[in-house]
Amino acid sequence: ACERCRCHSEDTRTAILYTLLSQSRASCGPAQQRCLCHQRRTVCLRTPHITCQAASDVLVKTVSFMKNLPSFQLLPRDDQLLLLDSCWAPLFLLGLVQEMVTFEVMETPAPSMLKKILLDGQSKQQEPERMQPTLAAVQRLQCCLNTFWSLDLSPKEYAYLKGAILFNPDVPGLRASLYIESLQREAQSALQEVLRPLHPEEQGRFARTLLITSTLKSIPPALITDLFFRPVIGNADIVELIAEMFYEISSRQPAP
């Protein structure tokens, strides 16, 4: 349940700035009005210097995992790029789980009414402000991570799960989709073989593990980028940076 919306605080009726701002907002659509209800409040990392470094380390390990897979290296370059684009986010989240990366967020301060009024004319000529992560979205992400931690996976389970995520034959535009599908089945079969001796009493663990893994794909890559990487990379394209990391291409050199 949401807390009482602070947009309707009792003191705003007599505030001059609020009156001026209300007149300015009257011409805006509902989507442009900032709601401060609990679940929709925007948030940012409480310790970005620590969390962003940990996230960067996980991303490097994620790229190294893909780079060290001979079967991935054998794929056509276009297929590699499609899989990188489609699968980096869930692979990164699985890396956060494996590395036990935890983080806290805090509410992003609401923009000053005076600043908004003074810059209103200028903001119309500038690019719209980038959307900040909401508390509800971050809580959903943390719930996914907590659910994964409850599985207490072994290193081999993580490795085969990453393979099952990476080799996704359903990505549109793949040239070697049949080969990729066979690689996914191989990874899933290996995962099942590992689970049997490790958890003989849990017959449904394989299906449960795959089900929980599928929740990672529901987390928007934009949320991951804005939360963990935007403070470091600014407006750069995260997928382009990942591709450069994978192919060891300097940002000053064109791709071959």
Side-chain angles (χ1 to χ4, degrees):
C2 293
E3 298 176 357
R4 180 181 179 184
C5 183
R6 294 185 294 174
C7 299
H8 304 287
S9 61
E10 297 177 358
D11 296 335
T12 55
R13 290 178 297 179
T14 58
I16 296 177
L17 289 178
Y18 174 77
T19 303
L20 293 173
L21 183 58
S22 297
Q23 293 174 355
S24 174
R25 288 162 62 94
S27 60
C28 298
Q32 294 176 298
Q33 298 180 8
R34 180 184 177 90
C35 176
L36 294 178
C37 293
H38 179 66
Q39 292 295 311
R40 296 180 62 185
R41 293 175 189 166
T42 58
V43 295
C44 58
L45 294 171
R46 184 175 295 277
T47 56
H49 56 293
I50 297 176
T51 306
C52 289
Q53 180 60 57
S56 297
D57 293 342
V58 170
L59 186 61
V60 170
K61 291 182 180 180
T62 301
V63 174
S64 296
F65 167 79
M66 292 183 282
K67 192 172 183 178
N68 292 328
L69 283 178
S71 51
F72 189 78
Q73 294 284 357
L74 292 175
L75 293 174
R77 182 188 175 93
D78 289 345
D79 283 7
Q80 292 176 355
L81 291 173
L82 287 173
L83 292 178
L84 282 172
D85 188 10
S86 174
C87 304
W88 78 266
L91 284 175
F92 167 77
L93 292 179
L94 194 58
L96 287 185
V97 177
Q98 186 173 14
E99 299 297 325
M100 299 293 292
V101 176
T102 60
F103 61 93
E104 295 182 357
V105 295
M106 62 182 183
E107 184 177 350
T108 305
S112 164
M113 289 186 179
L114 179 58
K115 180 179 179 181
K116 189 173 182 65
I117 293 171
L118 295 176
L119 298 180
D120 181 62
Q122 301 178 20
S123 62
K124 295 178 181 178
Q125 302 175 356
Q126 298 174 350
E127 295 183 359
E129 292 184 5
R130 184 179 299 276
M131 293 298 296
Q132 295 291 325
T134 63
L135 178 60
V138 173
Q139 287 178 336
R140 183 181 180 188
L141 167 58
Q142 290 177 322
C143 181
C144 288
L145 299 181
N146 289 334
T147 303
F148 247 109
W149 280 319
S150 68
L151 290 175
D152 192 21
L153 299 176
S154 67
K156 284 188 177 181
E157 289 173 288
Y158 278 115
Y160 294 134
L161 264 182
K162 290 176 183 178
I165 292 175
L166 176 60
F167 296 116
N168 181 8
D170 298 326
V171 174
L174 292 174
R175 294 165 52 191
S177 58
L178 293 179
Y179 175 59
I180 292 171
E181 183 178 8
S182 68
L183 293 174
Q184 185 183 65
R185 287 199 304 266
E186 183 179 336
Q188 292 176 344
S189 177
L191 173 63
Q192 194 168 20
E193 290 299 319
V194 169
L195 287 173
R196 288 174 181 171
L198 289 178
H199 309 279
E201 72 287 353
E202 298 183 46
Q203 296 183 357
R205 184 177 175 90
F206 174 70
R208 180 167 176 256
T209 300
L210 292 183
L211 180 62
I212 295 176
T213 302
S214 68
T215 64
L216 298 180
K217 299 179 182 180
S218 68
I219 304 299
L223 169 64
I224 300 171
T225 304
D226 292 339
L227 185 63
F228 296 109
F229 300 109
R230 195 61 67 197
V232 178
I233 69 174
N235 293 325
D237 189 313
I238 184 66
V239 177
E240 291 182 1
L241 294 178
I242 293 173
E244 288 181 1
M245 293 168 60
F246 183 82
Y247 293 109
E248 294 185 342
I249 299 173
S250 170
S251 60
R252 298 181 180 179
Q253 297 175 341

